[in-house]
Amino acid sequence: QVQLVESGGGLVQPGGSLRLSCAASGSISSISAMAWYRQAPGKQRELVAAISIGGRTNYADSLRGRFTISRDNAKNTVYLQMNSLKPGDTAVYYCNAGPRPRLTLPGDYWGQGTQVTVSS
């Protein structure tokens, strides 16, 4: 089993920045790719960004350039730096991990989610 715990969410003004963190614990050897997904009210959960152990990345086309995903393998932690935030970025952000290196489909493990609200 793998446990994922997100942190760093909160309320920010449009144009602001936020950095999310996700710490993994448990059967770390079963983790390959890690990712961030988000879900806004009334919408499907969507991929934000994914990253492999070696640093390969995949971003949602609309977010590439504003959001940056990174990871520290020694700390079993993945990060999401969010810049130039817009009200449309308001959603619950979920950490994801799995045993495959794929970057386009979610892995088996999910965090509880952290709320990000962008409003003035």
Side-chain angles (χ1 to χ4, degrees):
Q1 287 289 335
V2 172
Q3 295 80 46
L4 303 173
V5 180
E6 303 97 335
S7 62
L11 174 65
V12 296
Q13 294 186 348
S17 297
L18 209 59
R19 185 176 186 248
L20 305 182
S21 298
C22 172
S25 62
S27 301
I28 304 302
S29 61
S30 67
I31 295 177
S32 182
M34 299 186 76
W36 289 95
Y37 286 73
R38 70 183 185 183
Q39 187 167 24
K43 295 185 177 181
Q44 291 281 107
R45 189 171 299 187
E46 64 176 352
L47 173 70
V48 175
I51 186 168
S52 71
I53 292 177
R56 289 164 44 240
T57 58
N58 183 45
Y59 293 90
D61 290 339
S62 62
L63 302 179
R64 186 177 290 108
R66 291 197 298 121
F67 289 13
T68 302
I69 189 170
S70 62
R71 68 190 289 174
D72 185 334
N73 292 327
K75 296 181 178 179
N76 302 309
T77 300
V78 63
Y79 307 92
L80 183 69
Q81 179 67 46
M82 304 185 293
N83 298 325
S84 301
L85 285 163
K86 306 173 181 179
D89 295 320
T90 296
V92 177
Y93 285 70
Y94 295 92
C95 183
N96 175 262
R100 296 185 177 89
R102 65 191 184 190
L103 301 180
T104 56
L105 294 172
D108 295 333
Y109 307 107
W110 294 93
Q112 300 300 308
T114 185
Q115 177 71 47
V116 172
T117 302
V118 184
S119 176
S120 59

